[in-house]
Amino acid sequence: MELALDQLPGKPWKAAPGEWSASDGAIWGDPGKKPGDRAGLAAPISITDGAIEYEFMLPRGAARHSQRIAVGGGQPSFRVVASAGRLEVAKNPEPGEAQDKAERLIFERVKLQPGAWHTLRMRFKGDEITVEVAGVEAKARDAIFAQPKQQLNFLNFDGVIGFRNLVVVK
């Protein structure tokens, strides 16, 4: 799958919450002004081993992007989080569990320039994930990465974030 993301994708993509728009060759998610507000855009995928790659742009400030990837039938998930100063991968709590049950698998310092496009690359092989952004590459192993990935969830917090050039390769 290759999508330029230069216009808002239609069904089966789902946008909610937040406001989504397309301009300047990208889509932009605005979470709103209140603390804790987020913008979300979900898309079905079908990949076990392979790669997911796209570009994103962060504004100045505390903005962060979280790519939540749902796996398996019961919708367990993991997340890849990028902000101006960090790259993180965590296994999310099981549905119904408290957020403090999240298990951090990767934490790396990065320097992402605000207002510049950055490529986020995630590669999957068996139970291993390799994540790369801004010249930093990190790896982790967990059984969750070996499961079929079924849904991408582009989540934005604390600022308008742009996305373009999505590629999913099996």
Side-chain angles (χ1 to χ4, degrees):
M1 168 172 51
E2 289 189 39
L3 290 173
L5 295 180
D6 56 353
Q7 59 187 348
L8 291 175
K11 289 185 178 187
W13 289 62
K14 294 179 186 172
E19 303 246 344
W20 288 88
S21 61
S23 65
D24 302 321
I27 58 172
W28 303 85
D30 184 348
K33 305 265 187 241
K34 296 178 189 169
D37 281 355
R38 66 184 169 99
L41 184 64
I45 60 169
S46 179
I47 179 177
T48 301
D49 286 348
I52 300 168
E53 176 180 305
Y54 55 88
E55 295 174 63
F56 68 100
M57 181 190 291
L58 297 172
R60 294 198 184 280
R64 71 187 190 281
H65 161 55
S66 178
Q67 178 57 255
R68 188 179 68 217
I69 300 177
V71 302
Q75 294 299 326
S77 64
F78 62 92
R79 64 183 179 257
V80 177
V81 179
S83 67
R86 70 183 170 121
L87 171 64
E88 179 181 346
V89 175
K91 185 176 172 182
N92 288 326
E94 293 293 324
E97 287 186 324
Q99 282 299 314
D100 64 355
K101 299 293 184 190
E103 181 182 350
R104 183 184 287 170
L105 303 170
I106 292 174
F107 183 87
E108 293 287 339
R109 294 282 179 199
V110 296
K111 288 190 177 189
L112 299 180
Q113 180 181 351
W117 288 101
H118 301 280
T119 300
L120 177 62
R121 185 173 296 115
M122 298 164 275
R123 293 186 307 272
F124 305 95
K125 184 165 184 174
D127 67 351
E128 184 176 76
I129 185 174
T130 303
V131 182
E132 184 180 347
V133 68
V136 174
E137 183 178 280
K139 296 181 180 195
R141 288 188 178 276
D142 190 280
I144 197 165
F145 303 127
Q147 295 184 45
K149 287 87 180 147
Q150 297 179 333
Q151 187 177 55
L152 295 177
N153 292 277
F154 293 81
L155 302 172
N156 300 359
F157 301 89
D158 303 317
V160 178
I161 299 176
F163 299 96
R164 67 183 188 189
N165 300 325
L166 170 66
V167 178
V168 179
V169 179
K170 291 184 181 186

